[in-house]
Amino acid sequence: DIQMTQSPSTLSASVGDRVTITCRASPSMSRWLAWYQQKPGKAPKLLIYKASSLESGVPSRFSGSGSETDFTLTISSLQPDDFATYYCQQYNSYPITFGGGTKVEIK
Amino acid sequence: QLQLQESGPGLVRPSETLSLTCTVSGGSISSSDYYWGWIRQPPGKGLEWIGSIYSGGSTHYNPSLKSRLTMSVDTSKNQFSLKLNSVTAADTAVFYCARAAGGSPSYFDYWGQGTQVTVSS
């Protein structure tokens, strides 16, 4: 199984900040990685797939990068609507696995 | 616009079988080359993939649940279903159904709103 480790688990930031969330894969994989945003009581929303491809309708302040073992999700300028929990997910192989999540809180 | 809706009992007794159905609207479950999946989220915790099924019936299950899990698809009703037997309190979670965007495995681009299932006597 590919284990996905996200860091940090919690992040405090202010509106306008540049925010980076990391996801580490073990063992290494290709670029079959997705990022999701989840707000309380809601289903996850797809942001990024194939490590860096932006899902249609997602604001361009979200970007993804990385390959092999290290992946990042970057929010270039944090907006009030972005305070949420973010998850990475690998789809390189079965079983599909998710990272533990990163909660982005208001500083 | 594709929509998915989970349905099923909100309360299941320990040792019994949890049964959920996902109804797909706005598109045919068998018209394109997609898998359809179930994901769960225990209270206050992260996401766990349960399994995925193709419209033709091919399945992939999480090994941690495989011995208790059965997934099926009914193309005539545009639905797919989940049965998890011998449930315990550890199976209490919000259960989501979702579409796997393409390929196998894949990411999930459309999600249902989720349904809370509590295992309790």
Side-chain angles (χ1 to χ4, degrees), chain B residues 26-66:
Chain B
S28 172
I29 200 170
S30 57
S31 66
S32 300
D33 195 20
Y34 296 114
Y35 271 75
W36 304 85
W38 290 97
I39 300 98
R40 70 179 181 179
Q41 186 170 36
K45 295 188 177 181
L47 301 166
E48 179 184 31
W49 173 72
I50 297 171
S52 297
I53 186 166
Y54 184 62
S55 58
S58 173
T59 56
H60 295 276
Y61 294 159
N62 191 321
S64 69
L65 298 169
K66 188 173 183 177

Side-chain angles (χ1 to χ4, degrees), chain A residues 70-89:
Chain A
D70 294 306
F71 299 86
T72 59
L73 172 70
T74 299
I75 309 172
S76 60
S77 178
L78 197 65
Q79 298 302 300
D81 191 48
D82 301 338
F83 291 97
T85 300
Y86 294 84
Y87 294 93
C88 61
Q89 176 226 322

Side-chain angles (χ1 to χ4, degrees), chain A residues 1 34 36 38 41-46 49-50 55 87 89 91-100, chain B residues 35 39 41 45-49 52 60-63 96 103-109 111-114:
Chain A
D1 298 7
Y36 301 87
Q38 187 181 33
K42 299 295 186 182
K45 173 188 174 183
L46 177 67
Y49 61 95
K50 205 176 177 183
E55 173 70 349
Y87 294 93
Q89 176 226 322
Y91 54 101
N92 184 83
S93 61
Y94 287 113
I96 291 168
T97 48
F98 290 87
Chain B
Y35 271 75
I39 300 98
Q41 186 170 36
K45 295 188 177 181
L47 301 166
E48 179 184 31
W49 173 72
S52 297
H60 295 276
Y61 294 159
N62 191 321
Y96 296 100
S104 178
S106 188
Y107 56 90
F108 299 100
D109 59 349
W111 294 65
Q113 64 185 26

Side-chain angles (χ1 to χ4, degrees), chain B residues 45-95:
Chain B
K45 295 188 177 181
L47 301 166
E48 179 184 31
W49 173 72
I50 297 171
S52 297
I53 186 166
Y54 184 62
S55 58
S58 173
T59 56
H60 295 276
Y61 294 159
N62 191 321
S64 69
L65 298 169
K66 188 173 183 177
S67 63
R68 301 191 289 133
L69 181 62
T70 303
M71 293 178 61
S72 60
V73 63
D74 187 338
T75 55
S76 67
K77 294 182 179 180
N78 228 30
Q79 295 176 335
F80 60 104
S81 299
L82 158 75
K83 290 187 186 296
L84 184 67
N85 60 35
S86 304
V87 298
T88 70
D91 293 309
T92 293
V94 174
F95 285 74

